[in-house]
Amino acid sequence: MAENTSHLGFETRAIHAGQQPDPRTGSVIVPIYQTSTYAQDGVGGTREGDYEYSRTANPTRTVCEQALASLENGKHGVAFASGMAASDAVLRTALRPGDHLVLGNDAYGGTFRLIDKVLTEWGVSYTVADLANADDVRAAIRPETKLVWCESPTNPLLGVAPIAALADLAHTAGARLVVDNTFATPYLQQPLSLGADYVVHSTTKYLGGHSDVVGGAVITDSDEAQEQLFFLRNSAGAVPGPFDSWLTVRGMKTLAVRMERHCDNAEQIAQALTEHPGVGRVYYPGLPDHAGHDVAAKQMRRFGGMVSFTVNGGEQRALEVAARTQLFVLAESLGGIESLIEHPGRMTHASVSGSALHVPEDLLRLSVGIESAADLIADLHDALG
Ligand SMILES: *Cc1c(COP(=O)(O)O)cnc(C)c1O
């Protein structure tokens, strides 16, 4: 089932898009084509499938890309060796030296570092804005603005940006909108349908879903953007290997059921935390008093599996709590079936310290897994004391 799958439901596409039994053996699951090169019929003449060399293309990766494109309701998927390689490819194909981009005021630390430390060296400038505030975005846009870079929900403060309105603002200014959809996943939110030009993923997170692979992807409807991304990836070489592509394909098959459970558990945990005396503020878009709740309810199917909260008693207390959980593993990353806890200020977001991006020092971030919600809540209660 390679071509048009758009009439099928998400759950069906997650299992079948881009995939059919292997024509040679009948293998139901796509083989791991662990090869660097492909026999040619004659000089310059490839056999069926057009494969020549695995930096350029590999059949296992092709399946991964078709599945990614189908889940985002997009035309093209381009897989990369990591989420940062995917982000880098968008930045270096959509921008030229002298261009400017607008970046949200809460962003993945690695994205901020790439823009702030690498892209600026390359002659690109940026302005940080509150993407939930149209006036702030308009004020940040300049004649040379070519890109607006959005995460929604954001990492780690779970802020919500109105994607359709942002797309309009960007397009009016002659810029394109990128949405890093890692936190929401295509199951909960499909930015291309809301007007975004590029969707970026760290497939390391929910799409892979089992904390066993690092990868990234860009999905776009634009043939031109796809060609540029493909050219850069083939030139620079940040490709995922066949086994990593295969793990990602396998992970995506269960995305819908995993996300439902992540959301169920996160909703219960967010509620339990709001009732705990040791907790200050709880950041979860599913809570009715969250500033982005209404926008999230409109553009997302549910509210996701990430919950952040501040601990009463300051940074030291927060660090103690993070070190005391038993089921929540103290670790960076997110989106796997197991629950993780981390301190963004000292861990994932250490690179934003002192910048325009602000992360409270008493903040903890949870990646809520698919274990029993009661066990997870008991673990947090024990750790909070
Ligand atoms: C992890 C992450 C990235 C970077 O992805 P890698 O696969 O670690 O390179 C980018 N954006 C968000 C929102 C992330 O959580």
Side-chain angles (χ1 to χ4, degrees):
M1 209 175 292
E3 289 304 298
N4 195 348
T5 52
S6 58
H7 61 292
L8 297 170
F10 186 94
E11 294 81 352
T12 311
R13 284 182 280 131
I15 290 163
H16 294 290
Q19 300 172 60
Q20 57 227 323
D22 180 53
R24 199 170 72 83
T25 62
S27 168
V28 168
I29 295 301
V30 61
I32 303 166
Y33 284 94
Q34 194 71 43
T35 186
S36 59
T37 191
Y38 306 81
Q40 306 194 3
D41 281 342
V43 175
T46 55
R47 295 189 184 179
E48 61 176 307
D50 287 338
Y51 293 99
E52 288 172 3
Y53 185 60
S54 281
R55 167 157 43 73
T56 311
N58 172 283
T60 314
R61 193 203 307 160
T62 302
V63 167
C64 182
E65 293 177 326
Q66 288 175 351
L68 282 159
S70 173
L71 292 189
E72 284 288 359
N73 269 324
K75 194 163 166 196
H76 307 289
V78 187
F80 287 87
S82 69
M84 290 322 305
S87 299
D88 175 59
V90 170
L91 290 164
R92 285 197 292 138
T93 51
L95 298 170
R96 298 266 72 84
D99 289 346
H100 172 260
L101 85 151
V102 174
L103 172 68
N105 61 0
D106 183 31
Y108 178 67
T111 305
F112 178 73
R113 180 176 56 195
L114 175 64
I115 292 169
D116 181 56
K117 296 281 195 292
V118 181
L119 266 285
T120 53
E121 289 278 302
W122 200 56
V124 164
S125 60
Y126 72 93
T127 303
V128 168
D130 175 4
L131 301 184
N133 180 333
D135 289 337
D136 213 43
V137 176
R138 260 187 230 103
I141 288 175
R142 299 187 200 160
E144 63 272 24
T145 303
K146 291 286 164 19
L147 220 52
V148 176
W149 191 283
C150 165
E151 284 177 31
S152 186
T154 62
N155 183 1
L157 291 173
L158 286 315
V160 175
I163 294 172
L166 263 186
D168 283 347
L169 278 174
H171 295 157
T172 305
R176 283 180 284 179
L177 177 67
V178 187
V179 175
D180 181 336
N181 206 28
T182 299
F183 269 37
T185 81
Y187 181 67
L188 298 179
Q189 168 176 285
Q190 294 173 356
L192 295 177
S193 315
L194 297 167
D197 301 285
Y198 298 89
V199 168
V200 167
H201 276 287
S202 169
T203 56
T204 312
K205 315 296 168 53
Y206 289 105
L207 295 178
H210 297 74
S211 307
D212 53 11
V213 61
V214 170
V218 184
I219 300 96
T220 179
D221 283 333
S222 158
D223 296 343
E224 191 195 359
Q226 190 270 344
E227 274 167 34
Q228 293 170 334
L229 289 163
F230 184 85
F231 181 82
L232 178 64
R233 186 186 65 180
N234 193 38
S235 305
V239 291
F243 186 48
D244 288 358
S245 302
W246 186 89
L247 283 170
T248 307
V249 171
R250 184 173 72 163
M252 284 191 286
K253 288 176 192 284
T254 54
L255 182 65
V257 284
R258 284 187 286 110
M259 288 316 292
E260 287 293 337
R261 180 59 167 261
H262 283 298
C263 292
D264 286 344
N265 283 359
E267 280 167 19
Q268 291 181 56
I269 285 170
Q271 189 55 43
L273 288 172
T274 60
E275 291 159 13
H276 195 286
V279 170
R281 203 166 146 191
V282 181
Y283 300 82
Y284 185 65
L287 294 172
D289 65 351
H290 184 280
H293 177 72
D294 292 346
V295 175
K298 239 194 282 174
Q299 70 190 17
M300 297 175 74
R301 187 199 295 254
R302 293 185 70 183
F303 302 101
M306 300 299 295
V307 178
S308 293
F309 64 101
T310 60
V311 177
N312 291 334
E315 181 176 38
Q316 205 45 47
R317 269 288 289 158
L319 294 172
E320 283 163 24
V321 172
R324 272 218 296 264
T325 53
Q326 300 290 316
L327 288 175
F328 281 87
V329 177
L330 177 60
E332 298 195 353
S333 198
L334 60 110
I337 48 180
E338 66 287 295
S339 294
L340 305 179
I341 188 166
E342 69 120 1
H343 183 267
R346 298 268 188 117
M347 295 169 67
T348 48
H349 288 67
S351 63
V352 310
S353 118
S355 76
L357 278 69
H358 177 67
V359 176
E361 56 181 27
D362 54 358
L363 188 80
L364 294 178
R365 187 190 78 180
L366 304 177
S367 173
V368 177
I370 64 171
E371 302 95 330
S372 143
D375 290 341
L376 295 177
I377 290 169
D379 190 33
L380 290 170
H381 278 173
D382 288 347
L384 281 160

